[in-house]
C-alpha cells in the first residue's frame, strides 16, 4: 500500500520547494509552474548573476520603486487633460480606480492558482530580491498587472504619455524575472490581465464625459478646479468668454 503524505504536510513541503514522496500530483495543494517557463527563468537569473553590479542594482531599484513612475505619469495626464475634452478627463479620473481594481482582481486570481514562487520551487538562493515567504503566491505578477493596467489606461487618454508608460511596463515586467521572484509566464499573463481589465473600463468611463462637462460649466463646486476649463477655454484663450453667443 502506497504511503500518502497528509495534505497539510504536503502543502508545507511544496511551499518550501521540497520534494514530496508517495503523493499523487493531484493531491498537492499548490501549483508548480517550473514546467511552464522554469528553464527561461533559470537562464534570466543566470544573466543577472553574471551582470555588472551596477546594472543589477539599477534593475533592483526599478523593480522596487518603479511603480511610482506610473503615478507621476497619471498626474501628468491629468494636467494635460484639463485643457481636453470632458470624455478625456473622465477617463483620466477613472484610471487610478481601474488600476486598483485590476490589482484586486489579480490578487483573487493568485489565491485561486497558488503557484509557488520560482525562487522557492527551484531553490534559487542568490536572487537579487529576497524570495517571498510561504503563501505569497507568484502567478500572475501583481507588479506587472499594475504597470500594464496603468499603461493601457494612459494610452487611452494620451498616446504620448501612454507610449512612455508602455515601455516602463515592459521594463517592470522584465525586472520581476531578473530579480528572481517571478517566472516569465507570471509576467506575460500579468500583462494580459492588466490590459483586459483596464481597457473596457477606461473606455466605459468616457461615457461620463457629460457629467464632467456639466461640472465644468455648471454652478461652482469643489471639483471644478480639478477638472480644468476644457478644450473650449483653451481655444478661446485668456480674456475671451466661453460659451457666450453673439448675435
Amino acid at each position: 500500500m502506497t504511503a500518502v503524505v497528509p495534505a497539510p504536510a504536503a502543502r508545507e513541503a511544496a511551499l518550501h520547494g521540497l520534494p514530496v514522496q508517495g503523493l499523487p500530483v493531484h493531491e498537492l495543494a499548490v501549483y508548480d509552474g517550473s514546467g511552464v517557463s522554469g528553464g527561461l527563468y533559470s537562464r534570466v537569473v543566470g544573466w543577472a548573476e553574471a551582470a555588472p553590479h551596477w546594472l543589477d542594482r539599477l534593475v533592483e531599484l526599478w523593480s522596487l520603486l518603479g511603480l511610482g513612475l506610473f503615478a507621476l505619469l497619471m498626474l501628468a495626464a491629468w494636467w494635460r487633460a484639463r485643457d481636453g475634452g470632458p470624455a478625456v478627463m473622465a477617463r483620466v479620473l477613472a484610471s487610478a480606480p481601474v488600476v486598483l481594481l485590476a490589482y484586486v482582481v489579480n490578487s483573487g486570481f493568485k489565491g485561486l492558482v497558488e503557484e509557488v514562487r520560482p525562487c522557492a520551487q527551484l531553490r534559487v538562493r542568490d536572487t537579487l530580491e529576497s524570495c517571498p515567504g510561504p503563501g505569497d503566491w507568484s502567478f500572475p505578477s501583481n507588479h506587472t498587472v499594475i504597470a500594464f493596467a496603468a499603461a493601457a489606461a494612459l494610452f487611452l487618454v494620451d498616446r504620448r504619455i501612454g507610449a512612455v508608460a508602455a515601455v516602463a511596463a515592459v521594463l517592470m515586467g522584465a525586472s520581476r524575472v531578473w530579480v528572481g521572484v517571478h517566472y516569465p509566464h507570471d509576467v506575460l499573463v500579468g500583462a494580459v490581465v492588466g490590459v483586459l481589465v483596464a481597457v473596457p473600463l477606461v473606455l466605459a468611463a468616457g461615457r461620463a464625459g457629460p457629467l464632467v462637462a456639466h461640472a465644468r460649466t455648471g454652478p461652482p463646486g469643489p471639483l471644478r478646479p480639478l477638472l480644468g476649463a476644457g478644450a473650449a477655454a483653451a481655444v478661446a484663450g485668456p480674456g475671451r468668454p466661453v460659451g457666450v453667443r453673439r448675435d
Side-chain angles (χ1 to χ4, degrees):
M1 183 175 179
T2 304
V4 177
V5 179
R11 182 184 184 87
E12 190 67 18
L15 283 172
H16 291 85
L18 300 176
V20 181
Q21 301 295 333
L23 184 67
V25 174
H26 70 272
E27 289 194 37
L28 287 175
V30 291
Y31 178 67
D32 172 11
S34 61
V36 180
S37 59
L40 181 56
Y41 166 83
S42 297
R43 184 177 301 177
V44 173
V45 171
W47 292 341
E49 186 176 358
H53 178 76
W54 64 266
L55 177 59
D56 282 343
R57 296 289 78 79
L58 186 63
V59 174
E60 188 178 6
L61 185 63
W62 168 251
S63 182
L64 179 64
L65 302 176
L67 290 181
L69 174 63
F70 295 94
L72 295 178
L73 291 175
M74 285 186 176
L75 185 61
W78 164 77
W79 183 261
R80 288 167 61 90
R82 293 178 314 116
D83 294 331
V88 174
M89 177 56 76
R91 291 175 180 175
V92 168
L93 296 178
S95 295
V98 165
V99 171
L100 178 60
L101 179 60
Y103 168 77
V104 171
V105 169
N106 192 66
S107 295
F109 195 10
K110 288 168 78 80
L112 290 175
V113 178
E114 296 189 343
E115 179 189 74
V116 182
R117 293 279 181 169
C119 41
Q121 186 69 52
L122 301 176
R123 285 173 269 183
V124 181
R125 296 181 179 179
D126 298 325
T127 53
L128 296 180
E129 184 175 316
S130 299
C131 194
D136 191 337
W137 309 114
S138 186
F139 175 87
S141 163
N142 273 335
H143 280 70
T144 307
V145 168
I146 293 171
F148 274 87
L154 288 168
F155 192 80
L156 294 174
V157 170
D158 188 306
R159 291 193 175 183
R160 290 184 179 180
I161 295 178
V164 174
V167 174
V170 172
L171 293 177
M172 175 56 69
S175 74
R176 301 304 290 164
V177 182
W178 190 271
V179 300
V181 295
H182 278 290
Y183 291 110
H185 68 266
D186 297 340
V187 168
L188 179 60
V189 176
V192 173
V193 171
V195 172
L196 289 181
V197 172
V199 169
L201 292 179
V202 173
L203 287 176
R207 298 179 182 178
L211 297 177
V212 174
H214 176 73
R216 281 173 167 175
T217 59
L223 293 180
R224 179 175 287 185
L226 298 177
L227 300 178
V235 173
R240 298 177 60 182
V242 179
V244 177
R245 182 175 179 178
R246 295 182 180 181
D247 294 326

